Amino acid sequence: MVFVKIEEQNIDALYHQEESGSGNRLPASIREWKQKAENILQKEAFEYIARGSGEEATLRSNRKAFNNWQISHRVLRNVSNRELSISLFGKRISSPLLLAPIGVQTIAHPEGELASARAAADMDIPFITSTAATYSMEEIANEMGDSPRWFQLYNSNNDRVTESMVKRAEACGYSAIVVTVDTPVLGHREFDLQNSYSPLKEGKGNGNYISDPAFCEMLEKSPRKDMKAAIQKQMELFENPSLTWEDIEKIRKYSKLPILLKGIVDPEDAKIALNYVDGLIVSNHGGRQLDHGIASLDALEKICQVIQGEIPVLFDSGIRRGTDVLKAIALGASAVLLGRPFMYGLATGGEAGVKRVIQQIQKELDVSMALSGVRSINEIDSSLLVRQR
Ligand code: FNR
């Protein structure tokens, strides 16, 4: 892998063309970041990140859904001061963005989650550590000081391992638990099958397992002595198709942290969830799980109608531009998660690449707010949107 050196410079340089002609211009769109990542990464790693399940109908729908909404901008409202920060679970963050939980990040860059967590900390937005991270949640927390971080849980089919992971997360400063519920089994990912590629089987997603006392107790030999057996055991625990709402109640007993469910797209599920959790993430896993599923943005609107502001509703799957963030917030999201875009930044330039991608989306959001006539995130509401016929 040959990484691109990204100079420390203000994102505004891109807008003022300070770099024009130098051949070292920053990418101006997520599409460009993606191209750079494709040039750098091994084909199978790039496809693992970029591709979707099945025939990628959901992946495409996620993007198309944004085109169904147009912004009816307002004018003459003095937009010289704009405020992007929001409050989420009682904490102020710099903008309505979080980094989505993405496992196995060392397939994009050797520093993996350590680099992206530092970038999130630097930009003052929460980092969500995946259960399937390459590095352990403690190693990642160590990079972040007091910066906000949440832990994403794949509720394993062993309660003791689940309990242990949740307690470890609370102990090392994670301030929310995100339970991903759209993965009872792994989606049908044709590109990975064609490439015979599984980073989990290669041991790139086991940082939280091999450091877990409850997990290690289940092994005959320590992971250091027999990594193959450890990976095998992780694979056995990973999928949990028997999960029900009662399991969510159990997690509540392990920790005092707020719990969010990630992967909700159906309004009926959202209604039930109100009895169990403190927040929702409307998501279809970026089109990596059920193919031909509803576009995440289409689900968002209906779910916000059911939730009526009782708990925060976050959103992901398809965010590529500042206007996407604005539309999701106008439809009722409190904040959005950036997924693949930051992985392209990570692949291209490690920590600096992730920072650039975050800055780019923030800058685009800021520009879109000014052009729409809004001065703060609170002012973004559905009156700004018109549904295209
Ligand atoms: C993911 N996602 C994911 N979600 C999760 O809850 N735990 C995980 O470990 C992972 N791992 C993961 C790996 C890769 C390579 C990708 C691309 C995605 C899903 C992720 O959190 C988020 O829902 C999607 O990335 C959102 O879609 P877009 O915006 O990236 O298209």
Side-chain angles (χ1 to χ4, degrees):
M1 291 191 244
V2 182
F3 302 108
V4 174
K5 171 127 180 64
I6 298 181
E7 305 293 336
E8 275 297 323
Q9 48 157 273
N10 197 300
I11 190 81
D12 288 326
L14 179 66
Y15 282 78
H16 297 137
Q17 303 292 312
E18 284 167 24
E19 298 245 314
S20 68
S22 72
N24 193 27
R25 179 182 60 77
L26 286 171
S29 66
I30 300 305
R31 198 183 310 130
E32 265 193 276
W33 284 105
K34 183 178 177 181
Q35 272 161 11
K36 284 199 183 289
E38 186 167 15
N39 293 339
I40 287 166
L41 293 178
Q42 302 282 349
K43 177 175 175 287
E44 59 270 25
F46 175 76
E47 291 188 339
Y48 182 84
I49 296 165
R51 292 301 193 158
S53 58
E55 57 179 299
E56 301 189 313
T58 307
L59 185 68
R60 283 190 297 277
S61 301
N62 281 343
R63 284 301 303 147
K64 270 198 231 145
F66 285 94
N67 293 334
N68 295 335
W69 295 99
Q70 295 171 328
I71 302 163
S72 181
H73 72 261
R74 304 296 304 271
V75 298
L76 298 174
R77 290 180 147 198
N78 186 2
V79 290
S80 23
N81 293 315
R82 297 174 304 276
E83 181 56 57
L84 269 64
S85 72
I86 60 156
S87 191
L88 199 55
F89 294 109
K91 291 205 177 91
R92 202 87 202 151
I93 55 173
S94 69
S95 61
L97 298 176
L98 301 91
L99 292 194
I102 290 197
V104 302
Q105 290 187 24
T106 49
I107 68 170
H109 188 281
E111 278 204 297
E113 295 86 7
L114 304 181
S116 41
R118 284 199 301 267
D122 210 37
M123 298 303 298
D124 194 24
I125 65 169
F127 180 78
I128 311 181
T129 293
S130 162
T131 296
T134 309
Y135 293 96
S136 72
M137 61 180 105
E138 288 85 1
E139 289 170 308
I140 296 165
N142 273 341
E143 300 288 310
M144 298 191 71
D146 291 336
S147 298
R149 49 185 174 268
W150 297 1
F151 179 67
Q152 178 265 325
L153 179 73
Y154 279 128
N155 195 330
S156 91
N157 61 28
N158 179 292
D159 283 347
R160 293 196 50 214
V161 173
T162 299
E163 177 176 2
S164 170
M165 285 198 188
V166 170
K167 289 189 164 157
R168 283 168 60 199
E170 189 163 11
C172 64
Y174 289 81
S175 57
I177 302 292
V178 172
V179 187
T180 298
V181 288
D182 59 11
T183 314
V185 298
L186 217 57
H188 178 70
R189 302 182 185 163
E190 288 180 19
F191 287 89
D192 303 340
L193 295 173
Q194 277 164 19
N195 294 330
S196 305
Y197 184 63
S198 167
L200 279 183
K201 285 190 188 147
E202 286 177 8
K204 296 224 162 68
N206 64 10
N208 286 318
Y209 289 87
I210 59 175
S211 56
D212 193 274
F215 176 77
C216 289
E217 267 177 27
M218 301 171 78
L219 303 171
E220 275 172 29
K221 292 183 192 155
S222 77
R224 228 171 351 108
K225 291 204 175 119
D226 190 351
M227 190 55 89
K228 231 172 133 189
I231 292 170
Q232 180 56 36
K233 182 57 78 186
Q234 178 190 351
M235 299 306 291
E236 286 164 25
L237 296 187
F238 199 70
E239 288 188 342
N240 188 358
S242 68
L243 216 62
T244 67
W245 293 99
E246 279 73 53
D247 294 288
I248 307 300
E249 264 178 344
K250 271 195 216 158
I251 298 170
R252 188 54 88 209
K253 296 199 183 107
Y254 303 151
S255 147
K256 290 196 184 59
L257 296 179
I259 297 175
L260 296 93
L261 295 186
K262 174 173 180 282
I264 298 287
V265 296
D266 188 275
E268 278 304 312
D269 279 342
K271 234 183 260 171
I272 301 171
L274 277 176
N275 300 317
Y276 290 88
V277 292
D278 311 285
L280 298 181
I281 304 178
V282 173
S283 166
N284 56 30
H285 220 106
R288 296 164 65 78
Q289 285 296 105
L290 177 68
D291 197 23
H292 289 274
I294 182 172
S296 198
L297 196 73
D298 291 339
L300 175 68
E301 197 192 356
K302 297 193 188 95
I303 285 179
C304 289
Q305 280 161 7
V306 167
I307 298 295
Q308 290 289 321
E310 276 196 52
I311 53 175
V313 176
L314 280 63
F315 170 85
D316 80 24
S317 298
I319 294 284
R320 300 292 181 271
R321 300 192 165 273
T323 45
D324 301 339
V325 183
L326 188 138
K327 287 178 187 179
I329 290 173
L331 289 173
S334 303
V336 306
L337 278 55
L338 269 185
R340 291 181 176 95
F342 90 77
M343 287 296 280
Y344 301 143
L346 180 66
T348 307
E351 178 183 346
V354 178
K355 246 165 78 177
R356 291 291 154 233
V357 168
I358 298 169
Q359 285 172 335
Q360 184 182 314
I361 299 285
Q362 283 180 339
K363 178 78 187 178
E364 277 187 39
L365 173 62
D366 182 50
V367 170
S368 311
M369 284 167 63
L371 297 178
S372 302
V374 295
R375 290 149 295 207
S376 68
I377 301 297
N378 280 343
E379 285 184 4
I380 302 174
D381 64 26
S382 58
S383 68
L384 273 178
L385 297 188
V386 180
R387 178 134 199 151
Q388 206 185 23
R389 290 172 193 285

